Amino acid sequence: MDLGAGTYEWHEFFPYLQHNIGVVITIWAPIVLVYFMDTQIWYAIFSTIFGGIHGAFSHLGEIRTLGMLRSRFESVPSAFTDRLMPSSKEELKGNQDEIERRNIAKFSHIWNAFISSLRAEDLISNKEKDLLLVPYSSGNVSVVQWPPFLLASKIPIALDMAKDFKRTGQGELIKKIKYDNYMFSAVIECYETLRDILKNLLIDEEEQIILSQICFKVESSIGDNSFLESFQMSELLQLSNKLEKLLNLLKVEYEDIESYKTQIINVLQDIMEIITQDVMTNGRGPSGAARETEWKEMFTKLNLELMDDRSWREKVVRLHLLLTVKESAINVPINLDARRRITFFANSLFMNLPPTPKVRNMLSFSVLTPFYKEEVLYSEEELKKENEDGISIVFYLQKIYPDEWRNFLERIKSDPNDEDISKNYMDDLRHWVSYRGQTLSRTVRGMMYYRQALQLQCSLDMVQDRGQLSSIFGGQRTISPEQDYDDQMNLSARSLAIADMKFTYVVSCQVYGMQKKSHEAKDRSCYNNIHNLMLKFPSLRVAYIDEIEEIVGVKPQKIYYSVLVKGIDKHDEEIYRIRLPGKPTDIGEGKPENQNHAIIFTRGEALQTIDMNQDNYLEEAFKIRNTLEEFRDGHRPTILGLREHIFTGSVSSLAWFMSNQETSFVTIGQRILANPLKVRFHYGHPDIFDRIFHLTRGGISKASKTINLSEDVFAGFNSTLRGGNVTHHEYIQVGKGRDVGMNQISLFEAKVSNGNGEQTLSRDVYRLGRRFDFYRMLSFYFTTVGFYFSSMVRILHPHFSYNPL
């Protein structure tokens, strides 16, 4: 205890050293390591805080739940018109009610196409689809017709509310109903729709007079404040139950309607009897129309041919939903992915989008997808094949997506207990499974939504140009396909032709030619599946490398061609053939060379690069013409970065972790890299390139073997070095699949880290370091190779700290 601590000089620890450089390194190494670690940590904190603030100012996340959507749905049609429809001075004319109705008329076509696509993808059921649809026009209804999921339980609540009011409380009752705008709209719509349905259903003039007198009594009593005195509110529940029965009979599609005619007549007679004898306080109605013995002879002549009218049947279905749907509709839709897509689409309408051009004036663009030998469409054998645990792909997907499986069975009208589904509906089953994997079929279906969206938007543009939006508003369910426009050309054909001029999709199937010639079952199956895709989507084009042996001089020599084909009937038809100087894959990496040989077949000013494990959504495709307007901005980008949604998060816990990691990078991470750091590059797909800029400055892919292992990022390096501008936008998103297993994730992380190592050896990084200013250079360092260097430092730091010698 009495021993003191002596003081020592450094040379006493190293008596034989001639210089002190080793001591300096030993003493300062831990401090330097801590500095590097701290800098990376401070960058993570900065990016989180600043990225959150940036996202808030961009209106991201304002609508995150269905409750938020309901509270703001009244403003969605006007926001849609402002953001996704070309501006027109004519559309601003009229009073507020007319403008609102025109907005809803235009919005309904886009919204209903979106909801129908959710049903086609089995994300929602038939009932959920009916609840989410917006009527194409208000027709004879004096109020705005909102989708039924907003009006759920409004009628039952109003009926329950009305029965408690006394005869002198009409003003208070109306005030309470009008306090809830959705309830007021539901009550008015139910009355007017029921009036129109019954009026169209009755043939006899005397019976129509009875109905008209009842309606006159209702409307006049409301006007003179005697409604509660003229009608018994306690009997409305009984009337509602009978109406539900009638609508149930009217909405069903019958093969032989005459066999159900008697039931319909009996229920209708009961309804009229309840109205005139129970609901109305003056006994038998305003005209004393019939004695009790005559009821059975009345209301027997009905126009049941209306049941074949699709628009009339939709009225019946909608009225039935308004009367019967209660609190359960609050959670519509049930599927989480459908909820995410609906809320993101609605939220994007309140974000800052570029102005909307007409389809004929928008920039044309192409989509390019490189493909090698991945899955195109799962075969029957693959669906039935069981793993070591005895689980097949179909069984696994049924457990992961139980609601989508039920919706699929409902769509194909199959019994869930039917054991022969795989036999009777094998083709449908193969597509259902493939659309939930990372397959080329899923990618092609998603990208072809661009064509469908542009066709619909072009049709709306043409109708708007001719001032015929009033025809949509006036009650037509769809735009008439036969329009008197110049040469009487079909509107649908014209809009489709313009869509094909603006959009091109090329899939670069590198070995398609070899698979076509191959005799192996797997290659032939892949070839047939790709060919079927071309037949299903006529505008799809496939590029491949063709190898032909020709006699040059006296020696046979292999000649390589880049070939573009399209699907025609039972074969593919060659469109272009371009001779190549050699086999591309012998020179560079496979994927970038696959893109490079096919880029010549793309068209337009913009080019979107899409991997074969990606997906797209119809509602996002509606925003593509706005997105392309970014290239016309004063500070036009050369690479336009887009947000991704990782759709593989539900497969496993590892996939969920990988999904969250990737989501954070493609949202808040890239948001900060683009603004304010200005060091965002190209990290893969689905970025959109300025096609002309890159074709004249080295292309979109560098393909040198090994050093260009991470080929995507070099496109960003090249664009920045040549004076380009890389931006990032989050009002539109594209689906993306990621690795779901431990080995796959490990290999992916290894590839990315190896790619960063190769980048440090490249001349591109050297030139960027020489040209960047100090702050941008530090940002570039800590967001690329610096991240991996700091990770290494964190691992080595304990050894330097505690074992300095």
Side-chain angles (χ1 to χ4, degrees):
M1 297 295 294
D2 295 333
L3 293 176
T7 56
Y8 299 93
E9 299 293 335
W10 67 266
H11 56 81
E12 296 183 42
F13 288 100
F14 307 97
Y16 302 107
L17 289 179
Q18 301 297 320
H19 304 283
N20 64 351
I21 184 65
V23 179
V24 172
I25 293 175
T26 303
I27 294 175
W28 282 95
I31 299 173
V32 173
L33 295 179
V34 170
Y35 166 78
F36 277 112
M37 284 195 299
D38 287 347
T39 307
Q40 195 69 42
I41 293 171
W42 283 114
Y43 167 74
I45 296 173
F46 161 78
S47 63
T48 303
I49 296 175
F50 194 89
I53 296 173
H54 189 284
F57 278 100
S58 301
H59 304 284
L60 276 170
E62 288 189 356
I63 299 178
R64 300 185 302 276
T65 64
L66 292 178
M68 293 179 175
L69 176 62
R70 286 190 187 86
S71 65
R72 299 187 62 175
F73 200 89
E74 286 186 81
S75 58
V76 168
S78 59
F80 164 82
T81 303
D82 294 338
R83 302 299 194 282
L84 295 186
M85 290 295 292
S87 58
S88 172
K89 294 181 180 179
E90 295 295 327
E91 295 302 310
L92 299 177
K93 296 180 180 179
N95 57 42
Q96 187 63 34
D97 184 64
E98 291 176 351
I99 294 174
E100 184 178 19
R101 285 171 176 265
R102 282 197 293 265
N103 290 341
I104 294 176
K106 292 179 284 189
F107 169 72
S108 63
H109 285 80
I110 301 298
W111 176 264
N112 290 350
F114 167 31
I115 299 302
S116 297
S117 73
L118 292 179
R119 181 63 193 96
E121 296 174 20
D122 297 320
L123 296 181
I124 59 175
S125 63
N126 290 336
K127 184 178 180 180
E128 289 176 326
K129 175 186 174 183
D130 292 334
L131 287 169
L132 291 167
L133 289 177
V134 177
Y136 283 90
S137 68
S138 297
N140 298 323
V141 181
S142 60
V143 294
V144 174
Q145 291 181 283
W146 300 107
F149 84 100
L150 295 174
L151 309 179
S153 75
K154 299 300 181 184
I155 296 300
I157 291 175
L159 292 176
D160 188 63
M161 187 188 303
K163 72 179 183 180
D164 296 329
F165 275 84
K166 297 179 181 180
R167 293 190 174 187
T168 58
Q170 177 178 327
E172 186 66 23
L173 175 61
I174 293 176
K175 182 179 178 181
K176 281 197 170 185
I177 291 176
K178 284 188 173 181
Y179 181 77
D180 186 341
N181 187 42
Y182 289 141
M183 182 181 291
F184 178 72
S185 297
V187 170
I188 299 298
E189 181 184 348
C190 278
Y191 166 71
E192 296 182 355
T193 303
L194 178 61
R195 179 193 62 193
D196 293 342
I197 289 175
L198 294 179
K199 186 177 180 181
N200 294 331
L201 201 59
L202 299 176
I203 297 177
D204 188 81
E205 290 185 8
E206 183 181 353
E207 295 166 359
Q208 289 186 349
I209 291 173
I210 294 174
L211 178 63
S212 298
Q213 291 176 338
I214 293 172
C215 294
F216 175 78
K217 182 63 177 177
V218 171
E219 293 164 10
S220 61
S221 62
I222 293 175
D224 58 21
N225 206 30
S226 61
F227 181 76
L228 295 183
E229 298 175 3
S230 303
F231 297 90
Q232 296 288 341
M233 296 295 99
S234 58
E235 300 297 331
L236 290 180
L237 185 59
Q238 179 187 0
L239 177 61
S240 176
N241 293 334
K242 283 294 181 181
L243 285 174
E244 182 181 344
K245 273 189 178 181
L246 176 64
L247 296 172
N248 268 326
L249 292 170
L250 293 178
K251 73 176 186 176
V252 179
E253 297 182 11
Y254 300 106
E255 294 182 1
D256 182 15
I257 186 61
E258 292 298 324
S259 60
Y260 293 89
K261 185 175 181 179
T262 304
Q263 296 183 42
I264 296 173
I265 291 174
N266 290 337
V267 176
L268 181 59
Q269 289 174 343
D270 292 343
I271 288 173
M272 299 305 296
E273 185 175 0
I274 290 172
I275 292 175
T276 57
Q277 295 188 1
D278 297 336
V279 177
M280 301 180 71
T281 56
N282 61 352
R284 297 183 181 276
S287 64
R291 297 184 299 272
E292 292 183 9
T293 54
E294 296 176 347
W295 275 110
K296 293 183 180 179
E297 298 178 6
M298 299 190 67
F299 306 106
T300 56
K301 298 178 181 179
L302 303 179
N303 182 18
L304 296 180
E305 293 180 359
L306 284 170
M307 298 181 67
D308 296 328
D309 187 338
R310 186 177 178 184
S311 61
W312 188 84
R313 186 187 298 277
E314 287 178 351
K315 280 186 179 180
V316 173
V317 171
R318 179 176 171 83
L319 180 58
H320 181 264
L321 289 172
L322 295 180
L323 290 174
T324 59
V325 173
K326 296 183 174 60
E327 294 295 333
S328 59
I330 292 177
N331 296 319
V332 170
I334 297 174
N335 185 275
L336 296 179
D337 198 40
R339 290 187 181 191
R340 176 192 60 79
R341 287 173 56 179
I342 289 173
T343 53
F344 182 83
F345 176 68
N347 187 91
S348 67
L349 298 179
F350 297 93
M351 298 176 68
N352 298 321
L353 274 70
T356 308
K358 296 183 185 299
V359 174
R360 63 175 178 268
N361 297 330
M362 66 176 282
L363 295 177
S364 56
F365 73 107
S366 297
V367 176
L368 178 62
T369 299
F371 174 82
Y372 185 57
K373 288 186 177 180
E374 296 85 355
E375 291 290 345
V376 180
L377 188 73
Y378 288 115
S379 64
E380 182 177 353
E381 293 76 18
E382 289 172 320
L383 298 189
K384 296 179 178 179
K385 185 179 179 181
E386 298 180 350
N387 62 9
E388 60 273 12
D389 297 321
I391 297 176
S392 64
I393 294 179
V394 176
F395 179 82
Y396 181 64
L397 291 178
Q398 288 175 8
K399 300 305 177 184
I400 294 181
Y401 308 110
D403 53 339
E404 296 180 28
W405 176 251
R406 289 193 299 270
N407 297 337
F408 168 69
L409 295 179
E410 182 184 34
R411 178 167 58 85
I412 63 175
K413 299 178 180 179
S414 175
D415 186 355
N417 299 319
D418 186 5
E419 298 181 356
D420 295 329
I421 293 177
S422 59
K423 295 180 181 179
N424 301 330
Y425 303 98
M426 177 50 67
D427 189 55
D428 292 314
L429 184 60
R430 289 176 63 198
H431 282 86
W432 185 84
V433 172
S434 299
Y435 289 154
R436 277 145 191 84
Q438 299 183 41
T439 61
L440 183 64
S441 297
R442 179 174 188 165
T443 304
V444 171
R445 180 196 66 173
M447 294 305 117
M448 293 309 294
Y449 278 143
Y450 282 133
R451 184 173 185 250
Q452 182 181 343
L454 292 177
Q455 182 184 4
L456 177 56
Q457 289 175 319
C458 188
S459 298
L460 292 175
D461 289 348
M462 291 180 179
V463 173
Q464 185 176 355
D465 288 344
R466 282 171 274 169
Q468 293 180 345
L469 278 173
S470 58
S471 65
I472 303 177
F473 160 70
Q476 297 182 14
R477 186 196 178 283
T478 55
I479 302 170
S480 173
E482 298 176 359
Q483 302 285 345
D484 185 13
Y485 183 70
D486 293 339
D487 54 355
Q488 304 295 324
M489 182 175 284
N490 182 283
L491 176 64
S492 177
R494 286 183 62 85
S495 58
L496 187 60
I498 293 176
D500 285 335
M501 290 172 60
K502 296 298 180 180
F503 168 68
T504 305
Y505 187 28
V506 178
V507 178
S508 182
C509 304
Q510 185 174 326
V511 294
Y512 178 78
M514 296 173 56
Q515 291 171 336
K516 183 178 180 180
K517 302 172 185 176
S518 175
H519 297 288
E520 294 185 11
K522 186 171 181 60
D523 288 341
R524 292 298 302 175
S525 174
C526 186
Y527 161 74
N528 290 328
N529 289 331
I530 295 174
H531 182 255
N532 290 334
L533 283 176
M534 287 193 285
L535 297 180
K536 184 176 182 180
F537 303 103
S539 61
L540 174 64
R541 301 292 181 261
V542 170
Y544 66 94
I545 299 173
D546 193 20
E547 179 182 314
I548 298 177
E549 193 170 278
E550 296 180 356
I551 303 297
V552 179
V554 294
K555 295 182 179 180
Q557 186 175 345
K558 290 184 178 180
I559 307 297
Y560 298 92
Y561 292 91
S562 186
V563 184
L564 184 72
V565 296
K566 63 180 180 180
I568 299 291
D569 296 330
K570 295 183 180 180
H571 63 280
D572 46 39
E573 179 180 340
E574 186 175 305
I575 304 174
Y576 298 112
R577 174 178 289 265
I578 300 173
R579 182 168 176 172
L580 301 174
K583 189 176 182 180
T585 52
D586 287 344
I587 304 172
E589 296 283 350
K591 178 184 171 183
E593 289 291 8
N594 198 7
Q595 290 183 145
N596 287 336
H597 93 88
I599 195 173
I600 191 66
F601 299 125
T602 60
R603 295 185 290 114
E605 292 91 341
L607 174 64
Q608 184 177 25
T609 50
I610 293 291
D611 270 340
M612 62 75 51
N613 63 341
Q614 294 198 247
D615 195 5
N616 198 20
Y617 315 114
L618 180 62
E619 70 276 13
E620 300 304 312
F622 288 126
K623 293 178 275 190
I624 189 62
R625 59 177 175 175
N626 299 77
T627 307
L628 295 175
E629 286 300 292
E630 298 280 359
F631 288 109
R632 286 176 171 162
D633 186 54
H635 302 284
R636 56 179 297 174
T638 51
I639 298 180
L640 197 153
L642 303 183
R643 172 191 178 118
E644 289 179 324
H645 165 69
I646 312 303
F647 56 73
T648 50
S650 61
V651 175
S652 65
S653 57
L654 279 173
W656 173 82
F657 179 81
M658 185 70 177
S659 172
N660 287 337
Q661 174 191 341
E662 192 68 18
T663 299
S664 67
F665 174 68
V666 299
T667 53
I668 196 169
Q670 294 191 20
R671 190 185 309 157
I672 290 300
L673 296 179
N675 184 24
L677 300 184
K678 302 297 290 182
V679 289
R680 186 195 187 277
F681 302 107
H682 174 54
Y683 304 104
H685 310 77
D687 291 357
I688 303 177
F689 289 83
D690 184 331
R691 180 173 172 270
I692 306 301
F693 179 92
H694 286 87
L695 279 180
T696 55
R697 291 168 177 82
I700 64 170
S701 296
K702 287 196 173 183
S704 299
K705 285 195 173 182
T706 307
I707 197 165
N708 292 133
L709 179 64
S710 298
E711 77 286 344
D712 295 321
V713 76
F714 283 93
F717 291 165
N718 183 57
S719 183
T720 303
L721 285 169
R722 296 173 184 269
N725 180 29
V726 184
T727 60
H728 183 70
H729 306 274
E730 296 184 73
Y731 52 75
I732 184 173
Q733 66 179 357
V734 178
K736 175 72 173 180
R738 276 301 181 194
D739 306 291
V740 298
M742 177 65 82
N743 291 336
Q744 293 173 311
I745 294 174
S746 176
L747 290 174
F748 172 76
E749 296 291 346
K751 177 196 171 185
V752 174
S753 58
N754 288 340
N756 268 269
E758 295 294 339
Q759 291 170 34
T760 60
L761 305 177
S762 68
R763 66 185 68 181
D764 302 77
V765 170
Y766 169 76
R767 289 169 177 168
L768 284 172
R770 292 292 297 257
R771 296 186 185 185
F772 279 163
D773 59 69
F774 179 73
Y775 299 104
R776 199 175 178 189
M777 182 175 63
L778 282 183
S779 301
F780 172 56
Y781 170 78
F782 282 106
T783 56
T784 52
V785 68
F787 170 80
Y788 294 93
F789 182 77
S790 296
S791 299
M792 180 188 69
V793 166
R794 281 196 295 272
I795 297 172
L796 298 179
H797 176 256
H799 300 282
F800 282 92
S801 299
Y802 301 111
N803 300 288
L805 299 179

